[in-house]
Amino acid sequence: MWPCGGRRQRRLGGTALLLLVLWLVLRRYYPCLLPVVSEPCENAVLYRFNWSELIPLQLWGRTLGLQTENSQFLLEGMPFRIFGGSMHYFRVPREYWEDRMLKMKACGLNTLTTYVPWNLHEQERGKFDFSRNLDLEAFLSLAAKNGLWVILRPGPYICSEWDLGGLPSWLLQDPEMQLRTTYKGFTEAVDAYFDHLMPLVVPLQYKKGGPIIAVQVENEYGSYAKDPNYMTYVKMALLNRGIVELLMTSDNKNGLSFGLVEGALATVNFQKLEPGLLKYLDTVQRDQPKMVMEYWTGWFDNWGGPHYVFDADEMVNTVASVLKLGASINLYMFHGGTNFGFMNGALEADEYKSDVTSYDYDAVLTEAGDYTSKFFKLRQLFSMIIGQPLPLPPMIESKASYGAILLHQYIPLWDVLPSLLQPIKSEFPINMENLHLNDSSGQSYGYVLYETVIFGGGHLHSRDHVRDRAQVFVNTMYVGELDYNTVELSLPEGQGFRQLRLLVENRGRVNYGLALNEQRKGLIGDVFLNKTPLRNFKIYSLEMKPGFMKSLQHTAGWSAVPDYFVGPAFFRGRLWIEHQPQDTFLKLQGWEKGVVFVNGQNLGRYWKIGPQETLYLPGPWLWKGSNEIVIFEERTAGRIIQSVDIPYLGRTQYVD
């Protein structure tokens, strides 16, 4: 038998031998985690620092995580710089996640950042969905597989040009709701959400063998800053549920000092590098690494405006300047994707402006994942900094032009109502969120039809209670529209009692600014006829969820499309595909305004006012053989739509 001292020496010797072997392996394959600009590092891109490949226990060696020291990042005690890019899993078909990640690697990036949209994961209060295209765990694990670290931005508010900044609309059922504050009704909802979300992401943190190296505390709170206790609440909500990695905040220059929270690294967002902007970070936090969390590679578009573009050379020169100053950077967006369905956000400054369906953003990759000149210019820049060849860029997916698609059948909205929809009866108008639907979670998106009976005509006044746009009908005759700019109409006189119908569209809730608490949709108050408030409504919910669209397929009443028809109505046709389906774009020339569904998938809104003129249709959502296309057109319908292989996002205007 070995004496106690001998056993101790044997254990120490074995440990020393194991550490020596590990050190030799790391020295050979992992000499550093990412190159410093002045010192290119061999194998920095080809190999990823992943201890779990070397020893069975993932926790061994993963103890320090991402740290800040002497104005630089350290990962496991070694110098590290973040070359990041934003891509949102909820804006990209799941089948294309890995393709976009491989393109990140080929561009020279080592980190992926993503938001987490609360309003998709908990569409109805207490019912959570992390499946299919919302499988966050699968997305993060795929990032790890492809050698990408992750900065997670879980909110609860995310902005992101996304409806209500990612907050679920059912929060607004409470008339006293104060979003993004420590108001009890809000924090109770956040706590319940985080109780479900955090157990999914905590095991994927770096110190537990996963790819998450940092977590953001809320988002751009300095531009809101209504509650001095709120950021501390969110920070503790993360820490108390097992978040152990580096915490960060993210703000533009004007909000930077108002969005700070103790214990979190402040980062800055911008597009053009003003003199002294990065030095300004030193005024709010000393001796900390500088990080641009959102370097805006392009910009988003609003209906009725131009398609914004940002000069590629100016963008790359700014990125080079940021890196030369020693900062880390995250490209927002690397790949924007699409606001599928009704999920686009809106702005409300001088006036309300809703965002278009495309989130192409003039980013590094296009909406469909194709390379732009920005990609190759950035790849050249990062390759020079890294000092070694990058992985070859993956082949791009070919696009198809399937030609003209005939919409051969239609059914008026009025004919759908009695067979598919059960109205809610109410003496007063009810806003969308407070309709007794979806297990008491209200209606989130789409349209609401309000019907009441009137006698005679006269002066109709909305008192600015329409959110956001109402088509007005007497019986089935179109009278006009009410919105933010038009608040009154003249109704024609007529004999006897008639139906007054207001088809109200939620065009997207504001996602940024101080108006979040005022984002209830539908009719948010009384509408007056001849100074008398309308009463006794039948209210029809037109959220157009998959169940409704499936029932619509089998309803009676579809008929051949006439030579001329004015909506609102549903139209349908079929796209036949002989071979393997490919990505395509639908052009709706001759149509006015509405929504397109393909095989039950909501592609999003179109509107003739532009700028966007094509809708992206991903190949994985198509089938070999027959594909059903359904269009809800609000006003003037065409007879055909075109499937083309090139997108058209509208007249361009350079970002100032």
Side-chain angles (χ1 to χ4, degrees), residues 112-274:
L112 177 152
T113 70
T114 186
Y115 285 127
V116 181
W118 181 6
N119 56 3
L120 286 187
H121 289 299
E122 193 181 1
Q123 295 192 45
E124 298 179 20
R125 187 189 288 266
K127 297 181 180 179
F128 298 95
D129 184 5
F130 287 87
S131 63
R132 301 176 298 279
N133 226 92
L134 297 177
D135 192 338
L136 177 59
E137 290 177 282
F139 180 76
L140 299 178
S141 297
L142 193 60
K145 173 194 167 188
N146 287 287
L148 289 166
W149 302 112
V150 171
I151 296 176
L152 190 69
R153 310 175 78 187
Y157 163 85
I158 63 173
C159 185
S160 191
E161 290 72 63
W162 195 252
D163 188 275
L164 201 59
L167 301 175
S169 63
W170 45 259
L171 290 167
L172 296 173
Q173 291 180 331
D174 179 354
E176 305 300 323
M177 176 56 65
Q178 296 296 312
L179 301 174
R180 303 180 74 191
T181 71
T182 52
Y183 174 73
K184 184 179 179 182
F186 183 69
T187 58
E188 287 179 344
V190 173
D191 288 341
Y193 169 55
F194 275 10
D195 283 345
H196 200 91
L197 172 64
M198 291 306 151
L200 304 179
V201 299
V202 161
L204 294 171
Q205 294 180 100
Y206 172 87
K207 291 171 187 172
K208 297 181 180 294
I212 299 173
I213 57 173
V215 176
Q216 185 173 297
V217 183
E218 233 265 357
N219 187 62
E220 296 181 316
Y221 196 69
S223 300
Y224 198 73
K226 288 192 174 184
D227 185 340
N229 300 315
Y230 175 67
M231 288 293 281
T232 299
Y233 156 73
V234 177
K235 181 189 75 171
M236 296 310 300
L238 296 170
L239 296 178
N240 291 340
R241 289 168 175 82
I243 295 298
V244 295
E245 304 302 339
L246 180 69
L247 298 180
M248 296 179 169
T249 62
S250 170
D251 286 285
N252 60 33
K253 179 183 177 182
N254 293 335
L256 192 60
S257 60
F258 301 102
L260 301 174
V261 64
E262 186 178 356
L265 177 74
T267 69
V268 69
N269 307 334
F270 61 82
Q271 185 167 72
K272 300 191 177 184
L273 184 58
E274 302 172 16

